[in-house]
Amino acid sequence: MEDRFQLAQVNIARAKAPLDHPIMKGFVDRLDHINELAEQSPGFVWRLQTEAGDATAIKAFDDELIIVNLSVWDSFESLKKYVYTGEHVTLIKNKKSWFDPLNAPSLALWWIAEGHIPTVESAKARLEALQEKGSTPEAFTFARPYPAPNQATAPRVRLA
């Protein structure tokens, strides 16, 4: 039986202010809708969330203004389609209104065994690996993706 893999993704952002500050209203007002869009998107498997329905209360870093998003998708293509098409693109375009740039990678992708749920700690380790080594099978980006381990002989996927 062939092992099956899914794609985990983590992205972090440093808010310009606490989420209850008026400058963050445009982001906070869209958060539930964007999370619903993700959950309804083809290929969505799982996302990190608290009882409140999102992950903004999870403080994974010493900096209280850094928020974390962690999710699992059935393929690279399904995540790429969600991120770069539809309403999510509008959110990305407005990112500078709500978030400050980071001096380290803010997004990492990696393959996990089907059914595995990644932890915040493992996600932080993937961001650190990307910072230290660049894009590798351990942690990669949309710009430099790697195939799932069971597809190692397949051609590497490239963004157009």
Side-chain angles (χ1 to χ4, degrees), residues 1-131:
M1 184 170 143
E2 185 177 306
D3 290 336
R4 296 187 44 89
F5 292 88
Q6 295 174 319
L7 187 69
Q9 77 79 32
V10 61
N11 68 76
I12 60 173
R14 185 176 191 282
K16 289 186 176 283
L19 295 181
D20 60 356
H21 189 280
I23 197 171
M24 298 303 296
K25 183 173 175 32
F27 170 75
V28 172
D29 286 352
R30 290 173 175 86
L31 191 56
D32 287 344
H33 180 65
I34 291 296
N35 285 334
E36 284 177 25
L37 283 176
E39 290 177 352
Q40 295 167 6
S41 293
F44 173 85
V45 176
W46 172 89
R47 71 178 172 87
L48 178 68
Q49 61 183 303
T50 66
E51 296 78 29
D54 63 52
T56 57
I58 297 171
K59 301 302 175 197
F61 297 86
D62 292 337
D63 185 337
E64 292 284 316
L65 293 177
I66 293 181
I67 61 172
V68 62
N69 174 288
L70 179 59
S71 62
V72 176
W73 296 77
D74 71 357
S75 69
F76 177 86
E77 292 76 16
S78 62
L79 175 59
K80 178 183 164 191
K81 184 174 182 180
Y82 167 71
V83 170
Y84 292 111
T85 64
E87 293 180 60
H88 190 265
V89 172
T90 304
L91 198 65
I92 292 172
K93 288 179 182 175
N94 291 323
K95 186 176 180 179
K96 291 180 183 178
S97 300
W98 308 304
F99 300 102
D100 291 327
L102 295 171
N103 294 327
S106 61
L107 171 111
L109 309 172
W110 70 100
W111 295 104
I112 58 174
E114 184 177 45
H116 177 77
I117 299 298
T119 64
V120 171
E121 293 75 23
S122 68
K124 287 174 64 175
R126 301 303 173 135
L127 287 166
E128 290 170 12
L130 191 58
Q131 171 77 19

